[in-house]
Amino acid sequence: MILVTGGAGFIGSNFVLDWLKESNEPVVNLDALTYAGNLENLQSLTDDPRHIFVKGNICDKELVSSLLTKYKPRAIVHFAAESHVDRSICGPDLFFETNVMGTLNLLECAKAYYDQELSENERSAFRFLHVSTDEVYGSLTFDEPAFTEETPYRPNSPYSASKASSDHAVRAWFHTYGFPVLTTNCSNNYGPYQFPEKLIPLVISNALARKPLPIYGDGLNIRDWLYVGDHCSAIRCVLENGKIGETYNVGGHNERNNITIVKTICAILDEMRPHRDGSYANLITYVKDRPGHDRRYAIDSTKLQTQLGWKPKECFETGIHKTVQWYLDHQDWVKNVQSGAYREWTAKQYGNW
Ligand code: NAD
Ligand code: TYD
């Protein structure tokens, strides 16, 4: 049994689905179902006894402790977080509450469980895997080398500052208490079930709705993109083979600037779903830049690849085709997640930072 937090979100739900495809080990899935959590992602597991869903908050000490006692997981895989940079700029408090205080609560509950409720053998097998981001390393210029595990932390947004704080707490729990942690720092993910506030699903869903495709600033900011299935396989690999106390960068060497990403999506849609009014690229609209917008992220995952033998399966070209196809095939999913709360948010955005 493993405990997953945030398993109804984008990466968490992909992870739970992949996990139960790859093994028969049951999953307890603790998720507060914020605007980003969606049980529709896990519909295929409705009658599957290997998936136990619990609606609840990672900040709830009693709930987390009781789940640990009841299900006795051999590992915790911690995804739950507030994850959108733009939202963190407009309302940072919740990011620190969930990402910092929530992680602290999980660490405290998990350590008490580890110390008091596990046998020696169970303790040596137990792992706490903290899922984090490359954004903690800050921004690179166009010609600096990619982030390694040795790159100093320089978080720039409220989101990355909150994730960096949680990474430091996880690190401290290993160094101070010997608590068996692992941390992964991954680059930007894309793929099925990503909420359409993030660049790739936003552009696909806006294009299909003939809405503007907003490009922040000059569109030359670079991200390093990884297909979500490859992130999930990296987490499984680190969980099974990672060295306690270590951090692992996860990425597939797919740096692209934003305008290239958006033009690529438009070209794929022009081919798959041609529109009588012409190319989707006509919808591209430059808007006011995000405050403090990091210029470039690039991740060096040599450590994970050479020490643990992980390799991504998808390159950007194969992954983005799969992703566009998935959104074309799941337009009802997009409609369903575009709730009132989400509309309120988008209405507030551009020009109003
Ligand atoms: P997401 O926003 O899609 O999902 C987050 C999930 O956490 C949701 O299901 C939400 O309901 C749940 N959640 C939020 N607050 C909670 C709380 N207090 N208690 C319990 N559940 C709560 O996020 P995502 O994109 O799937 O990211 C998952 C993790 O991976 C995050 O920790 C994020 O920092 C990290 N990460 C994301 C990316 C990316 O590109 N999306 C890249 C690297 C790392
Ligand atoms: P995003 O998907 O929000 O991820 P992150 O900020 O965590 O990297 O944004 C990816 C890039 O796309 C980032 O440089 C900001 C840019 N962007 C736009 O240009 N337009 C948009 O509407 C969004 C949401 C993002």
Side-chain angles (χ1 to χ4, degrees):
M1 174 76 78
I2 62 166
L3 171 67
V4 166
T5 70
F10 162 48
I11 305 172
S13 60
N14 275 285
F15 180 83
V16 170
L17 291 167
D18 281 8
W19 180 270
L20 293 175
K21 221 181 273 162
E22 300 286 322
S23 87
N24 269 327
E25 187 174 8
V27 176
V28 184
N29 182 354
L30 172 64
D31 194 298
L33 295 180
T34 67
Y35 80 94
N38 185 355
L39 282 180
E40 208 181 317
N41 304 2
L42 301 165
Q43 220 167 26
S44 61
L45 301 176
T46 305
D47 296 317
D48 192 328
R50 298 172 306 164
H51 178 238
I52 299 151
F53 182 78
V54 179
K55 182 176 184 307
N57 200 308
I58 55 165
C59 300
D60 182 339
K61 204 172 213 99
E62 261 173 46
L63 174 66
V64 172
S65 300
S66 72
L67 290 176
L68 292 170
T69 301
K70 180 167 177 192
Y71 293 108
K72 261 200 152 205
R74 69 160 175 109
I76 297 176
V77 184
H78 175 35
F79 294 95
E82 287 295 330
S83 69
H84 189 37
V85 173
D86 293 343
R87 285 179 188 260
S88 82
I89 294 167
C90 299
D93 298 30
L94 184 57
F95 283 72
F96 283 79
E97 210 175 294
T98 297
N99 301 359
V100 184
M101 297 314 287
T103 301
L104 173 66
N105 185 50
L106 278 181
L107 285 168
E108 291 203 313
C109 295
K111 182 180 171 296
Y113 162 72
Y114 173 85
D115 287 342
Q116 293 157 26
E117 298 181 41
L118 296 185
S119 67
E120 208 174 308
N121 282 347
E122 288 166 335
R123 269 203 292 277
S124 67
F126 186 82
R127 299 287 181 273
F128 182 102
L129 192 153
H130 175 59
V131 179
S132 192
T133 166
D134 63 353
E135 302 194 22
V136 296
Y137 298 122
S139 184
L140 294 167
T141 59
F142 290 124
D143 43 33
E144 275 177 305
F147 304 129
T148 70
E149 290 80 0
E150 307 307 318
T151 303
Y153 272 34
R154 287 197 183 94
N156 290 321
S157 71
Y159 164 66
S160 56
S162 69
K163 291 296 292 189
S165 311
S166 65
D167 293 10
H168 289 324
V170 168
R171 176 187 161 87
W173 258 241
F174 169 69
H175 282 271
T176 306
Y177 307 114
F179 185 62
V181 305
L182 296 157
T183 297
T184 53
N185 293 92
C186 187
S187 61
N188 284 63
N189 283 212
Y190 66 101
Y193 303 114
Q194 188 168 29
F195 196 84
E197 64 182 353
K198 307 276 167 64
L199 181 69
I200 289 179
L202 179 106
V203 165
I204 301 170
S205 54
N206 278 18
L208 293 172
R210 306 298 297 173
K211 287 187 186 159
L213 312 180
I215 308 279
Y216 297 168
D218 62 8
L220 298 181
N221 299 65
I222 292 175
R223 298 293 182 263
D224 194 346
W225 295 92
L226 186 71
Y227 189 71
V228 64
D230 285 326
H231 188 186
C232 294
S233 74
I235 292 170
R236 289 199 304 274
C237 173
V238 172
L239 185 63
E240 297 319 320
N241 306 309
K243 196 166 160 235
I244 289 172
E246 298 276 313
T247 70
Y248 295 89
N249 281 354
V250 187
H253 301 286
N254 287 296
E255 283 184 62
R256 298 284 185 284
N257 67 34
N258 294 337
I259 188 67
T260 303
I261 297 285
V262 175
K263 285 185 175 164
T264 303
I265 293 170
C266 290
I268 296 171
L269 283 173
D270 285 340
E271 202 183 289
M272 286 184 178
R273 189 64 60 96
H275 196 276
R276 60 180 181 281
D277 294 343
S279 173
Y280 290 93
N282 298 335
L283 299 167
I284 291 174
T285 307
Y286 286 85
V287 300
K288 194 166 168 183
D289 206 359
R290 167 190 286 172
H293 195 175
D294 282 340
R295 200 55 166 159
R296 172 173 166 244
Y297 302 143
I299 199 120
D300 181 342
S301 58
T302 306
K303 179 179 175 185
L304 176 59
Q305 303 213 23
T306 55
Q307 292 186 9
L308 305 189
W310 171 83
K311 263 200 195 71
K313 277 199 185 135
E314 305 290 342
C315 64
F316 187 72
E317 284 61 39
T318 56
I320 194 69
H321 268 89
K322 273 190 173 181
T323 302
V324 173
Q325 187 66 60
W326 188 87
Y327 279 88
L328 283 171
D329 294 342
H330 294 82
Q331 287 188 55
D332 281 351
W333 181 89
V334 174
K335 264 185 219 130
N336 292 346
V337 298
Q338 284 172 333
S339 65
Y342 173 66
R343 276 198 300 275
E344 223 171 82
W345 159 253
T346 49
K348 261 195 353 208
Q349 227 171 345
Y350 320 115
N352 272 325
W353 292 113

